[in-house]
Amino acid sequence: SVSKMIYVRALCGAIATLTASEEGTDVIRQSNVFQEIEEQLRVALSTQESHHSLSMIIPTRPESSQSIESTRRKQSSESQFSMENETRRPRKSEPSIFNMDSVSNTMSREYFTIIGFLSKSERGLELMSKIGLLKTIQQVIPSPRDDLTNLIISNIDYFDDRMRTVFGLAMTSDSKLVRLHCTRHLRVMLRAGVPDFQEWGIDLLATQLNDKDEEVALASLDVLSEACLENEFLELLIQKRPNLRSFGQKGRDLMIQMLRSEEGFSYLDELQWLRSEMLKWQKETNLSYVRIVEGRLIEALNTNSTNSSQFRRKVAMVGLPVHLYGGLATTHLGLDLLRRSGHAQDLLDTLHSSVTSPLDMRACLWALGHIASSPIGFQFAKDVRSFFY
């Protein structure tokens, strides 16, 4: 319950304080709290394996008396080893605090919040490694317990390569739900500014574009589209040379973002995508762009709210889609292609024509406005006298 979260916050604060020193970390180790958590995780895994094994039992032919006797001798020789390890091995018959019902309905899930705080420091990670908790967490990832895997992924810290390895394992899980959760969690880490995210996060997202499940791949594309608003992330993605053509409009939008970089322009030019896309915009997409923007504005303006500040916020949230000509006008290579194509001049001629329809006129204004929105695009507009007259 919410009232009991105060105890979780207090314990997390104590862990953060104690792991700041060697002496404090020893206090945690001697308390055996995390050793018991690790054991309970193994109990949960063992129970799951037991249920899985039972479901796989099939009828077999009766064994001969000789094979039965051989099996008895083998069991007898293993009994001593089994007894010696009894104190370490969790009993499968014992209920685990991490069974599915407990994790869903009790505070058991908050143990992963506590593990997350332990993983925030180098000393905490070393302790997790020494007591076997790190190894057990790695064993949870490929298990059928998606709920435990998702809790681990959501709570552990990723400043260290060991935890990034755990995350990488989850990203390749057989479970679509786990892969989808991981992909969406990358957005959380992106927004939180996780250290060195550009060195490993973009690589994982680019790889996930090839996921066998369309929903997971689209989720990765969505996160990448947000990340690539930053030029640093955009350049890193371009270096991965992703194939975005199969993603429809969302893929094209990200490809247009790549035009902000000369390397991105060169990559798209190599794909022979630019010229065909420019023709498409000239024939139809400039007009559909106007319809999309105006549709969003109409939706935002059609509100029954009498609160003026709420109304202004809603209108301000209407974002402009990317525009091909605006993307081309951000680099000298793109602007040169735009100039040689004659598209800008065609827009001006259409705008000044007396027979131009209102929709075509608005399409020209949007396109020319996007061209002039960048410094070099604005200079290009100034050089073309008819641009402003």
Side-chain angles (χ1 to χ4, degrees):
S1 66
V2 176
S3 61
K4 293 180 180 179
M5 285 301 296
I6 187 172
Y7 301 110
V8 177
R9 289 194 291 269
L11 183 54
C12 290
I15 290 171
T17 301
L18 290 170
T19 52
S21 66
E22 291 291 347
E23 294 80 4
T25 306
D26 284 339
V27 170
I28 296 176
R29 180 180 56 78
Q30 293 168 11
S31 71
N32 289 327
V33 170
F34 288 98
Q35 288 90 327
E36 293 177 10
I37 291 175
E38 187 273 335
E39 182 174 332
Q40 287 297 315
L41 275 175
R42 285 190 290 110
V43 171
L45 290 178
S46 299
T47 303
Q48 189 66 40
E49 290 173 1
S50 176
H51 290 166
H52 180 69
S53 297
L54 285 172
S55 67
M56 297 297 290
I57 291 178
I58 58 175
T60 57
R61 289 180 296 179
E63 296 181 8
S64 65
S65 58
Q66 183 178 0
S67 62
I68 293 174
E69 182 61 30
S70 176
T71 301
R72 286 175 178 172
R73 286 198 300 269
K74 182 177 180 181
Q75 290 175 341
S76 176
S77 64
E78 291 176 348
S79 62
Q80 185 176 357
F81 175 80
S82 177
M83 292 177 62
E84 290 173 354
N85 287 275
E86 187 65 27
T87 56
R88 177 61 178 165
R89 183 181 296 113
R91 298 179 185 275
K92 294 183 180 180
S93 60
E94 295 176 356
S96 169
I97 60 173
F98 295 126
N99 65 67
M100 295 185 73
D101 184 63
S102 295
V103 170
S104 298
N105 302 308
T106 73
M107 293 286 287
S108 293
R109 63 190 301 112
E110 297 306 328
Y111 281 109
F112 295 95
T113 305
I114 298 167
I115 292 173
F117 266 80
L118 187 64
S119 71
K120 289 179 180 293
S121 68
E122 184 64 37
R123 291 189 180 91
L125 282 178
E126 287 299 323
L127 177 59
M128 290 174 66
S129 181
K130 287 179 180 177
I131 66 175
L133 180 56
L134 184 58
K135 181 178 179 181
T136 302
I137 285 175
Q138 291 174 335
Q139 293 171 347
V140 171
I141 301 302
S143 77
R145 290 295 302 274
D146 292 358
D147 55 338
L148 298 184
T149 299
N150 289 344
L151 283 169
I152 290 169
I153 293 303
S154 297
N155 285 284
I156 60 177
D157 196 281
Y158 296 100
F159 80 92
D160 187 272
D161 284 340
R162 285 169 287 187
M163 287 310 186
R164 295 173 190 173
T165 299
V166 170
F167 191 89
L169 290 172
M171 286 284 281
T172 58
S173 168
D174 290 336
S175 168
K176 170 195 168 180
L177 293 178
V178 170
R179 299 197 311 276
L180 187 59
H181 178 78
C182 289
T183 304
R184 290 171 174 169
H185 191 64
L186 283 168
R187 187 196 300 276
V188 176
M189 291 191 279
L190 169 69
R191 294 179 176 179
V194 170
D196 303 323
F197 183 82
Q198 68 278 10
E199 296 180 5
W200 59 281
I202 297 298
D203 186 56
L204 288 174
L205 286 167
T207 301
Q208 209 72 336
L209 288 172
N210 302 314
D211 193 274
K212 59 187 177 182
D213 187 272
E214 183 180 7
E215 187 178 2
V216 177
L218 284 172
S220 178
L221 179 70
D222 196 38
V223 180
L224 281 170
S225 297
E226 180 177 333
C228 288
L229 294 174
E230 298 289 336
N231 287 334
E232 179 183 11
F233 295 140
L234 179 66
E235 295 285 356
L236 289 169
L237 178 63
I238 293 169
Q239 292 173 14
K240 305 295 179 185
R241 296 293 196 265
N243 180 13
L244 302 174
R245 288 184 171 184
S246 61
F247 290 99
Q249 185 58 51
K250 290 185 176 181
R252 288 194 293 273
D253 286 347
L254 185 51
M255 292 170 83
I256 290 173
Q257 285 198 59
M258 290 182 177
L259 292 172
R260 301 202 318 264
S261 159
E262 293 202 346
E263 185 178 352
F265 176 92
S266 299
Y267 169 56
L268 296 177
D269 196 35
E270 289 172 10
L271 294 177
Q272 298 181 344
W273 175 81
L274 278 173
R275 286 163 180 79
S276 61
E277 189 68 12
M278 288 180 71
L279 288 174
K280 186 176 179 180
W281 274 76
Q282 187 181 39
K283 291 179 179 179
E284 58 188 59
T285 311
N286 274 322
L287 294 176
S288 62
Y289 184 90
V290 176
R291 295 189 183 99
I292 291 171
V293 172
E294 292 181 353
R296 292 183 182 182
L297 286 170
I298 290 170
E299 184 180 354
L301 292 170
N302 283 343
T303 176
N304 297 323
S305 175
T306 57
N307 187 321
S308 59
S309 61
Q310 183 181 6
F311 176 77
R312 286 194 297 271
R313 282 197 301 271
K314 191 172 182 180
V315 173
M317 289 175 64
V318 177
L320 285 180
V322 292
H323 197 291
L324 179 67
Y325 293 171
L328 287 169
T330 56
T331 66
H332 290 286
L333 288 174
L335 193 60
D336 183 58
L337 176 61
L338 194 60
R339 182 186 293 108
R340 287 186 284 108
S341 70
H343 285 207
Q345 188 60 52
D346 289 342
L347 290 169
L348 290 169
D349 293 342
T350 303
L351 187 62
H352 294 153
S353 173
S354 60
V355 295
T356 301
S357 69
L359 180 61
D360 284 329
M361 187 170 292
R362 296 198 298 277
C364 290
L365 288 172
W366 274 112
L368 293 169
H370 275 286
I371 292 173
S373 65
S374 68
I376 61 173
F378 183 73
Q379 186 60 47
F380 166 71
K382 287 175 64 178
D383 294 340
V384 180
R385 182 175 176 80
S386 60
F387 204 105
F388 293 109
Y389 299 97

mmCIF file of all heavy atoms in Angstrom, residues 329-349:
data_model
loop_
_atom_site.group_PDB
_atom_site.id
_atom_site.type_symbol
_atom_site.label_atom_id
_atom_site.label_comp_id
_atom_site.label_asym_id
_atom_site.label_seq_id
_atom_site.Cartn_x
_atom_site.Cartn_y
_atom_site.Cartn_z
ATOM 1 N N ALA A 329 16.999 21.902 -46.810
ATOM 2 C CA ALA A 329 17.541 23.257 -46.680
ATOM 3 C C ALA A 329 18.456 23.432 -45.479
ATOM 4 O O ALA A 329 18.950 24.531 -45.238
ATOM 5 C CB ALA A 329 16.391 24.269 -46.608
ATOM 6 N N THR A 330 18.714 22.362 -44.721
ATOM 7 C CA THR A 330 19.577 22.491 -43.535
ATOM 8 C C THR A 330 21.053 22.255 -43.839
ATOM 9 O O THR A 330 21.907 22.535 -43.012
ATOM 10 C CB THR A 330 19.131 21.509 -42.429
ATOM 11 O OG1 THR A 330 19.124 20.179 -42.963
ATOM 12 C CG2 THR A 330 17.745 21.869 -41.912
ATOM 13 N N THR A 331 21.362 21.687 -45.003
ATOM 14 C CA THR A 331 22.767 21.479 -45.383
ATOM 15 C C THR A 331 23.008 22.043 -46.775
ATOM 16 O O THR A 331 22.082 22.180 -47.583
ATOM 17 C CB THR A 331 23.140 19.975 -45.390
ATOM 18 O OG1 THR A 331 22.398 19.317 -46.429
ATOM 19 C CG2 THR A 331 22.855 19.323 -44.052
ATOM 20 N N HIS A 332 24.257 22.346 -47.064
ATOM 21 C CA HIS A 332 24.606 22.884 -48.383
ATOM 22 C C HIS A 332 24.352 21.848 -49.478
ATOM 23 O O HIS A 332 23.929 22.213 -50.592
ATOM 24 C CB HIS A 332 26.067 23.337 -48.394
ATOM 25 C CG HIS A 332 26.314 24.555 -47.560
ATOM 26 N ND1 HIS A 332 25.932 25.820 -47.946
ATOM 27 C CD2 HIS A 332 26.896 24.688 -46.330
ATOM 28 C CE1 HIS A 332 26.269 26.693 -47.018
ATOM 29 N NE2 HIS A 332 26.857 26.036 -46.026
ATOM 30 N N LEU A 333 24.600 20.568 -49.170
ATOM 31 C CA LEU A 333 24.349 19.525 -50.161
ATOM 32 C C LEU A 333 22.861 19.435 -50.504
ATOM 33 O O LEU A 333 22.478 19.334 -51.675
ATOM 34 C CB LEU A 333 24.837 18.168 -49.628
ATOM 35 C CG LEU A 333 26.351 17.960 -49.543
ATOM 36 C CD1 LEU A 333 26.658 16.631 -48.853
ATOM 37 C CD2 LEU A 333 26.983 17.996 -50.925
ATOM 38 N N GLY A 334 22.041 19.479 -49.486
ATOM 39 C CA GLY A 334 20.608 19.395 -49.712
ATOM 40 C C GLY A 334 20.063 20.617 -50.421
ATOM 41 O O GLY A 334 19.217 20.510 -51.325
ATOM 42 N N LEU A 335 20.554 21.782 -50.011
ATOM 43 C CA LEU A 335 20.086 23.011 -50.634
ATOM 44 C C LEU A 335 20.495 23.077 -52.099
ATOM 45 O O LEU A 335 19.736 23.567 -52.953
ATOM 46 C CB LEU A 335 20.630 24.222 -49.872
ATOM 47 C CG LEU A 335 19.994 25.575 -50.200
ATOM 48 C CD1 LEU A 335 18.502 25.544 -49.908
ATOM 49 C CD2 LEU A 335 20.670 26.691 -49.409
ATOM 50 N N ASP A 336 21.681 22.573 -52.410
ATOM 51 C CA ASP A 336 22.142 22.551 -53.797
ATOM 52 C C ASP A 336 21.240 21.650 -54.647
ATOM 53 O O ASP A 336 20.892 21.996 -55.794
ATOM 54 C CB ASP A 336 23.586 22.060 -53.857
ATOM 55 C CG ASP A 336 24.147 22.093 -55.271
ATOM 56 O OD1 ASP A 336 24.158 23.177 -55.883
ATOM 57 O OD2 ASP A 336 24.559 21.023 -55.763
ATOM 58 N N LEU A 337 20.844 20.493 -54.080
ATOM 59 C CA LEU A 337 19.929 19.602 -54.796
ATOM 60 C C LEU A 337 18.582 20.285 -54.998
ATOM 61 O O LEU A 337 17.980 20.183 -56.078
ATOM 62 C CB LEU A 337 19.747 18.298 -54.021
ATOM 63 C CG LEU A 337 18.736 17.303 -54.598
ATOM 64 C CD1 LEU A 337 19.144 16.860 -56.001
ATOM 65 C CD2 LEU A 337 18.597 16.090 -53.672
ATOM 66 N N LEU A 338 18.117 20.977 -53.999
ATOM 67 C CA LEU A 338 16.844 21.677 -54.094
ATOM 68 C C LEU A 338 16.894 22.762 -55.162
ATOM 69 O O LEU A 338 15.951 22.942 -55.938
ATOM 70 C CB LEU A 338 16.494 22.286 -52.728
ATOM 71 C CG LEU A 338 15.065 22.770 -52.503
ATOM 72 C CD1 LEU A 338 14.078 21.626 -52.678
ATOM 73 C CD2 LEU A 338 14.940 23.381 -51.108
ATOM 74 N N ARG A 339 18.020 23.447 -55.229
ATOM 75 C CA ARG A 339 18.187 24.510 -56.230
ATOM 76 C C ARG A 339 18.207 23.914 -57.639
ATOM 77 O O ARG A 339 17.548 24.419 -58.556
ATOM 78 C CB ARG A 339 19.473 25.286 -55.948
ATOM 79 C CG ARG A 339 19.705 26.450 -56.905
ATOM 80 C CD ARG A 339 21.063 27.100 -56.672
ATOM 81 N NE ARG A 339 21.142 27.769 -55.376
ATOM 82 C CZ ARG A 339 21.848 27.327 -54.346
ATOM 83 N NH1 ARG A 339 22.551 26.196 -54.453
ATOM 84 N NH2 ARG A 339 21.876 27.996 -53.216
ATOM 85 N N ARG A 340 18.972 22.828 -57.820
ATOM 86 C CA ARG A 340 19.106 22.235 -59.150
ATOM 87 C C ARG A 340 17.817 21.562 -59.616
ATOM 88 O O ARG A 340 17.568 21.461 -60.810
ATOM 89 C CB ARG A 340 20.255 21.213 -59.150
ATOM 90 C CG ARG A 340 21.635 21.856 -59.102
ATOM 91 C CD ARG A 340 22.763 20.838 -59.247
ATOM 92 N NE ARG A 340 22.979 20.062 -58.029
ATOM 93 C CZ ARG A 340 22.658 18.804 -57.873
ATOM 94 N NH1 ARG A 340 22.063 18.147 -58.866
ATOM 95 N NH2 ARG A 340 22.902 18.164 -56.738
ATOM 96 N N SER A 341 17.021 21.105 -58.674
ATOM 97 C CA SER A 341 15.773 20.422 -59.044
ATOM 98 C C SER A 341 14.731 21.381 -59.596
ATOM 99 O O SER A 341 13.812 20.962 -60.308
ATOM 100 C CB SER A 341 15.192 19.703 -57.820
ATOM 101 O OG SER A 341 14.710 20.649 -56.878
ATOM 102 N N GLY A 342 14.856 22.660 -59.248
ATOM 103 C CA GLY A 342 13.877 23.640 -59.696
ATOM 104 C C GLY A 342 12.586 23.626 -58.916
ATOM 105 O O GLY A 342 11.639 24.365 -59.245
ATOM 106 N N HIS A 343 12.512 22.839 -57.835
ATOM 107 C CA HIS A 343 11.275 22.748 -57.066
ATOM 108 C C HIS A 343 10.936 24.066 -56.385
ATOM 109 O O HIS A 343 9.753 24.448 -56.315
ATOM 110 C CB HIS A 343 11.386 21.630 -56.023
ATOM 111 C CG HIS A 343 11.281 20.262 -56.615
ATOM 112 N ND1 HIS A 343 10.824 19.169 -55.910
ATOM 113 C CD2 HIS A 343 11.556 19.799 -57.859
ATOM 114 C CE1 HIS A 343 10.838 18.098 -56.676
ATOM 115 N NE2 HIS A 343 11.287 18.463 -57.873
ATOM 116 N N ALA A 344 11.943 24.751 -55.867
ATOM 117 C CA ALA A 344 11.680 26.019 -55.188
ATOM 118 C C ALA A 344 11.104 27.038 -56.162
ATOM 119 O O ALA A 344 10.149 27.772 -55.834
ATOM 120 C CB ALA A 344 12.962 26.548 -54.548
ATOM 121 N N GLN A 345 11.663 27.095 -57.333
ATOM 122 C CA GLN A 345 11.150 28.032 -58.341
ATOM 123 C C GLN A 345 9.732 27.657 -58.752
ATOM 124 O O GLN A 345 8.879 28.525 -58.970
ATOM 125 C CB GLN A 345 12.076 28.043 -59.562
ATOM 126 C CG GLN A 345 11.737 29.138 -60.578
ATOM 127 C CD GLN A 345 11.839 30.522 -59.970
ATOM 128 O OE1 GLN A 345 12.858 30.887 -59.374
ATOM 129 N NE2 GLN A 345 10.763 31.304 -60.099
ATOM 130 N N ASP A 346 9.460 26.357 -58.865
ATOM 131 C CA ASP A 346 8.104 25.913 -59.204
ATOM 132 C C ASP A 346 7.106 26.359 -58.137
ATOM 133 O O ASP A 346 5.968 26.754 -58.456
ATOM 134 C CB ASP A 346 8.056 24.393 -59.346
ATOM 135 C CG ASP A 346 8.781 23.896 -60.593
ATOM 136 O OD1 ASP A 346 9.014 24.713 -61.501
ATOM 137 O OD2 ASP A 346 9.116 22.690 -60.638
ATOM 138 N N LEU A 347 7.526 26.292 -56.876
ATOM 139 C CA LEU A 347 6.661 26.737 -55.787
ATOM 140 C C LEU A 347 6.358 28.225 -55.911
ATOM 141 O O LEU A 347 5.207 28.666 -55.720
ATOM 142 C CB LEU A 347 7.329 26.449 -54.434
ATOM 143 C CG LEU A 347 7.445 24.979 -54.018
ATOM 144 C CD1 LEU A 347 8.353 24.841 -52.809
ATOM 145 C CD2 LEU A 347 6.076 24.384 -53.716
ATOM 146 N N LEU A 348 7.373 29.013 -56.232
ATOM 147 C CA LEU A 348 7.188 30.457 -56.382
ATOM 148 C C LEU A 348 6.265 30.772 -57.556
ATOM 149 O O LEU A 348 5.374 31.637 -57.458
ATOM 150 C CB LEU A 348 8.539 31.141 -56.577
ATOM 151 C CG LEU A 348 9.461 31.161 -55.351
ATOM 152 C CD1 LEU A 348 10.858 31.613 -55.741
ATOM 153 C CD2 LEU A 348 8.890 32.055 -54.262
ATOM 154 N N ASP A 349 6.456 30.066 -58.662
ATOM 155 C CA ASP A 349 5.610 30.295 -59.831
ATOM 156 C C ASP A 349 4.154 29.956 -59.527
ATOM 157 O O ASP A 349 3.230 30.685 -59.929
ATOM 158 C CB ASP A 349 6.097 29.450 -61.015
ATOM 159 C CG ASP A 349 7.465 29.894 -61.522
ATOM 160 O OD1 ASP A 349 7.875 31.038 -61.212
ATOM 161 O OD2 ASP A 349 8.133 29.081 -62.199
#
